[in-house]
Amino acid sequence: MKRSHSLVFPTSVLYWFFAGLVLSYLVVAALLAPAGVHLLPLDMVVSLLQSRMGFFILLFGLPCGIYLIGWRASDLFVWMRAPHSLSLDDQGLRAGEVRIAWRDVESVLEIQNHDRIVLRHRGGSYKLRLNLWSDAEALHQGVMEHVVPELLERVSREVAEGQSVRFGPLTLDDAGLTHKGRLLRWEEIESIRVQDEFDTGVSTRELVIVAQGKPRKIDEAKIPNAPVLLAYLSDRLAG
């Protein structure tokens, strides 16, 4: 079944873009004022530099402005170069010249804070920015429905053959799950879950593994194939 998603303008990043633009403009105006180039009224520049934040704006304003425009508002520049539509079907994903077959996907990484999915495949990697496409939730679900079962089958086969499978800071094998050199045997693991955290304006999702009454929290963004690992653990512990 083919699903199509149209390109959506990333309105939410305009705040970061204009904030970065304002910061950069203030610094440039302050630096050019002594040379007689007045991008802002001289009184305004003098007041800015004499204010409590003047020194910090002059010192950090330009790096912060570049960071806000180049990183936090990067979706705007990606949107300008993106194709008008993206489609999924039973064979793979297609977005303009990008073609990714589900069978070629080697790992999937979810970046919760930036609403992105990174698909690593045989030809390289593709960063899917969900907020740039219509019906982002359905797009996320569609990608996972195709990618996770394929990867889960590979992981299950490798573990059954006695191999160890790395998931970033975690290693999975037939004996259990190893984290920071400590083997958590299957009989020691009491529960697993994911939970959302929100701290200092940044949202993250953590995988919580409770073993022998002690919870271990790992940032999901640091675990390649985290949905695959969660699916495997859920099946293994349920059985």
Side-chain angles (χ1 to χ4, degrees):
M1 179 179 177
K2 184 176 181 179
R3 299 179 182 175
S4 295
H5 301 266
S6 56
L7 191 63
V8 175
F9 184 77
T11 306
S12 59
V13 305
L14 288 179
Y15 168 81
W16 300 114
F17 178 78
F18 286 114
L21 206 61
V22 169
L23 273 176
S24 301
Y25 191 86
L26 288 175
V27 174
V28 172
L31 293 176
L32 292 179
V37 180
H38 302 299
L39 300 180
L40 290 172
L42 186 59
D43 291 344
M44 182 181 296
V45 174
V46 173
S47 298
L48 174 67
L49 295 178
Q50 290 178 344
S51 68
R52 185 175 301 177
M53 295 299 295
F55 173 77
F56 296 100
I57 292 176
L58 190 61
L59 188 61
F60 300 110
L62 194 56
C64 288
I66 293 173
Y67 164 76
L68 292 176
I69 295 172
W71 179 253
R72 297 306 298 267
S74 61
D75 283 349
L76 181 61
F77 305 104
V78 174
W79 174 84
M80 294 171 65
R81 303 191 306 270
H84 294 296
S85 65
L86 175 150
S87 62
L88 308 177
D89 57 28
D90 292 338
Q91 279 68 51
L93 175 149
R94 177 178 179 177
E97 297 181 357
V98 175
R99 307 285 193 280
I100 302 175
W102 302 127
R103 64 176 181 276
D104 293 336
V105 176
E106 298 173 346
S107 71
V108 56
L109 178 66
E110 291 190 279
I111 307 177
Q112 179 75 11
N113 186 45
H114 296 291
D115 203 22
R116 298 171 188 171
I117 300 175
V118 179
L119 298 173
R120 292 188 174 90
H121 52 93
R122 294 178 185 176
S125 64
Y126 177 68
K127 186 180 293 183
L128 177 59
R129 300 176 186 240
L130 297 170
N131 60 313
L132 293 185
W133 303 102
S134 62
D135 206 352
E137 186 175 344
L139 175 58
H140 175 272
Q141 182 179 351
V143 170
M144 291 303 170
E145 285 177 350
H146 285 99
V147 171
V148 172
E150 185 88 20
L151 294 175
L152 179 59
E153 183 178 346
R154 298 180 198 173
V155 170
S156 299
R157 183 173 61 251
E158 291 172 1
V159 173
E161 292 172 352
Q163 300 180 41
S164 296
V165 183
R166 287 291 302 273
F167 291 87
L170 299 165
T171 302
L172 175 70
D173 59 31
D174 194 50
L177 197 61
T178 301
H179 179 238
K180 293 184 177 180
R182 167 79 161 83
L183 174 62
L184 307 175
R185 298 187 178 279
W186 297 119
E187 59 271 17
E188 297 174 346
I189 300 176
E190 301 167 14
S191 65
I192 57 169
R193 69 179 188 277
V194 291
Q195 69 179 31
D196 294 326
E197 298 285 344
F198 190 83
D199 186 27
T200 63
V202 176
S203 62
T204 59
R205 178 174 294 170
E206 294 182 328
L207 175 65
V208 182
I209 303 172
V210 180
Q212 295 183 325
K214 180 181 178 181
R216 293 171 178 261
K217 296 183 178 181
I218 306 101
D219 186 355
E220 186 184 47
K222 297 179 180 179
I223 307 175
N225 285 332
V228 182
L229 175 63
L230 186 61
Y232 181 90
L233 293 177
S234 298
D235 292 343
R236 182 78 184 234
L237 296 177

